[in-house]
Structure formats: C-alpha cells, structure tokens
Amino acid sequence: MTKDTLSMILLEDVLNTVDHSREKRKHFANLILENPALLPDLLNICAQVDDEISCRASWGLEFLCKHDLTAILPYLDQLISIVPNVYQHPAVRPMAKIFEYLSIAYYQKKNPKVRASLTTIHREKITELCFDWIITDQKVAPKAYSMTSLYLLGTEFDWVHPELKITLENNYNTGSAAYKARSRMVLKKIS
C-alpha cells in the first residue's frame, strides 16, 4: 500500500466520524490545517460526488476555507474542476460558500494572496457555476451565496449585473422568503 493510498484511507476513516456538527467539522478542519499535505486527498474525496463521504469532505473543506482561505489557493484548479460535477445539496452548499469566501476576499477585502491566485479563468468559471446554481433546482443557501458572489463578480465583468438582475426578477415570485430577502438586497445594490 502506497503512502498516498494510506493517507486517503485514514482521511476517509476520519471523515466517516464527521457529522454536520460545528465541533466535528472544526476538528476535521484543524486536522487538515495541521496536515496541509492531506488537502489534495481531501479534494479527491470531494470529487467522489456519488458517495455521501464527498458531502462530509465538502463540509470540512468549507470549514477549513472559513478559517484559512489561503490553504485552498494552491488547489484552485482542482477545486474548480470538481465543482461542476457536485450535485448533492449537502456538498453544493459548502462549495457555493467557498466561492462566496473567495469572491469576498478578492473583491471586498482585496486579499493580496487571493488576488494573486484567483485567475480570470477561475473567476469566469465561478461566475458560470454560480449562475447555474441560481437557475437550477437548488436549495436557498447555494442560491444566496451565489447571488453575493455574482454581485461581486459583476463589479468586474460588466455583463453579470444585467443578467443577474433579470434572473433574480424572473425568479422572485416563486422564491422562498429567504430567496426574496437576498434578492432584494442584491437588486438594491445593483440599482
């Protein structure tokens, strides 16, 4: 058994103990923070989109990014190649949240490390994925995180705000109360 295979198996064993509780996700994120060499394996587990373990891996990845967003920066290509295949809501929500973290760090906080790593191609792909989440049958959280990301991305890409405005207005009447609240907030900023 190779060292990589062993670390993947150990990571999966730990992930099998992770639930949605903040305490377990934090413990798992700290494990990755203390062992950054595990991050590629974690992303490989996130890529197992048909397996429930990918959802738990995504929760851990989101918690990690919340506490140290720079940890994901060397792996943006891998992350962005995985996300289009993610379809289970418990995994989509954290991926949308990670994109929101990246967008806020890039556009609002102007984090130099994020600005140096998040390429135009990455930002264009995030734009595409966020629009997909807003127009497809997703729960409200990924839609809300996507609205924030798209609003910020629209400060750079001039076509985004008009498209976002049309999309939000068209879906407003059928959206939940939370969707409507976030839509109003974003539409007000666009106007």
Side-chain angles (χ1 to χ4, degrees):
M1 189 176 301
T2 68
K3 184 180 174 189
D4 288 343
T5 306
L6 183 60
S7 71
M8 186 94 148
I9 290 169
L10 293 173
L11 197 55
E12 288 178 359
D13 287 346
V14 173
L15 275 169
N16 284 323
T17 69
V18 173
D19 58 28
H20 212 134
S21 73
R22 182 174 206 79
E23 179 185 323
K24 294 236 174 135
R25 287 182 300 141
K26 183 177 182 180
H27 172 73
F28 181 72
N30 285 333
L31 172 71
I32 303 299
L33 280 170
E34 293 164 10
N35 302 282
L38 293 174
L39 200 45
D41 291 334
L42 178 61
L43 286 164
N44 288 334
I45 296 170
C46 289
Q48 298 172 20
V49 296
D50 295 328
D51 193 326
E52 185 186 319
I53 198 168
S54 73
C55 299
R56 290 192 296 275
S58 297
W59 300 340
L61 185 64
E62 176 203 340
F63 211 85
L64 169 76
C65 290
K66 179 179 181 178
H67 295 284
D68 182 11
L69 189 58
T70 61
I72 195 68
L73 297 180
Y75 306 100
L76 286 173
D77 289 342
Q78 187 179 359
L79 174 69
I80 289 175
S81 71
I82 291 168
V83 173
N85 301 315
V86 173
Y87 66 92
Q88 295 187 63
H89 174 72
V92 170
R93 192 206 60 72
M95 294 302 182
K97 187 64 175 175
I98 291 168
F99 284 174
E100 184 185 61
Y101 291 148
L102 287 165
S103 299
I104 289 169
Y106 188 92
Y107 292 103
Q108 282 183 338
K109 296 181 179 175
K110 300 193 184 316
N111 179 305
K113 290 180 181 175
V114 174
R115 291 182 71 87
S117 299
L118 195 65
T119 67
T120 302
I121 292 168
H122 293 143
R123 296 190 309 277
E124 288 171 346
K125 190 66 179 171
I126 289 171
T127 303
E128 176 187 325
L129 291 163
C130 287
F131 266 117
D132 285 349
W133 287 328
I134 285 182
I135 63 174
T136 58
D137 185 26
Q138 299 293 335
K139 294 193 178 185
V140 74
K143 288 179 184 270
Y145 302 146
S146 294
M147 286 180 213
T148 299
S149 295
L150 287 168
Y151 169 74
L152 294 167
L153 288 154
T155 62
E156 176 181 5
F157 304 116
D158 60 3
W159 65 271
V160 171
H161 284 170
E163 288 296 318
L164 180 58
K165 184 176 189 233
I166 290 167
T167 304
L168 295 180
E169 288 173 347
N170 287 345
N171 295 327
Y172 187 82
N173 289 333
T174 58
S176 67
Y179 179 91
K180 288 177 180 178
R182 181 66 65 104
S183 290
R184 281 192 305 272
M185 186 178 79
V186 171
L187 288 168
K188 186 176 178 182
K189 287 181 179 180
I190 292 172
S191 294

